[in-house]
Amino acid sequence: APAASASLVDSEGRSIGQALLQQAAHGVLLKLELKKATPGIHGLHIHAVGRCDRPSFESAGGHFNPTNKQHGYLNPNGPHAGDLTNIEVPATTELSVEYFVPDVTIDPGPRSLADRDGSAIVIHAGKDDYASDPSGESGNRRGCGPIVRSETK
């Protein structure tokens, strides 16, 4: 099955972890492994462009949203395909979590995370409220990693 990964860095370019993505029948399994991440509750999203220009990471664009929905699980017109639940990084600065992201692919197609301009995993400074469009009031982007499709042999 197709796979991809993202190496996440903070605004100063320091490595803070990695995401591994694996194609599944009805979406993508995403495993996030963080080390040296900022403790606290943070919004986590898949953004529409696979660029992570420091320090603001604005180059990653808005949330991955191929179906033109609004942001948030609590929004009746949402969520974006790239909306994920908040993460809580403990004082150890290390975290391992897994997500199932439905209705997206690594394979080519209209919902592909590996399309022409790619996509990126973004960690925000604050907590996502799951309702406010376009980004859940989750604050500045503090970590980012472009999603890169693995070469299949």
Side-chain angles (χ1 to χ4, degrees):
S5 64
S7 296
L8 283 84
V9 298
D10 66 14
S11 60
E12 295 180 17
R14 294 181 293 233
S15 174
I16 58 169
Q18 183 173 20
L20 301 173
L21 298 92
Q22 182 74 50
Q23 181 76 48
H26 301 284
V28 169
L29 290 169
L30 184 156
K31 183 172 185 176
L32 183 67
E33 298 276 348
L34 298 179
K35 295 179 187 223
K36 299 181 184 173
T38 303
I41 300 175
H42 305 280
L44 178 71
H45 305 115
I46 300 172
H47 282 245
V49 180
R51 284 189 51 195
C52 292
D53 298 344
R54 298 187 331 255
S56 70
F57 303 122
E58 291 297 320
S59 57
H63 294 179
F64 184 72
N65 188 20
T67 57
N68 295 313
K69 299 214 177 190
Q70 290 186 6
H71 173 79
Y73 299 117
L74 300 177
N75 185 328
N77 298 314
H80 296 146
D83 289 350
L84 302 172
T85 56
N86 290 316
I87 56 173
E88 186 167 3
V89 179
T92 63
T93 73
E94 296 184 8
L95 178 70
S96 178
V97 294
E98 292 185 9
Y99 290 91
F100 178 72
V101 187
D103 300 323
V104 301
T105 67
I106 296 169
D107 279 333
R111 295 180 184 210
S112 178
L113 301 176
D115 64 1
R116 194 178 84 263
D117 63 357
S119 57
I121 305 288
V122 174
I123 300 172
H124 290 264
K127 180 179 180 179
D128 187 329
D129 67 12
Y130 300 134
S132 302
D133 196 51
S135 63
E137 299 295 330
S138 51
N140 292 337
R141 301 166 189 201
R142 294 287 174 87
C144 188
I147 295 173
V148 178
R149 185 181 165 115
S150 301
E151 293 300 316
T152 54
K153 301 199 188 245

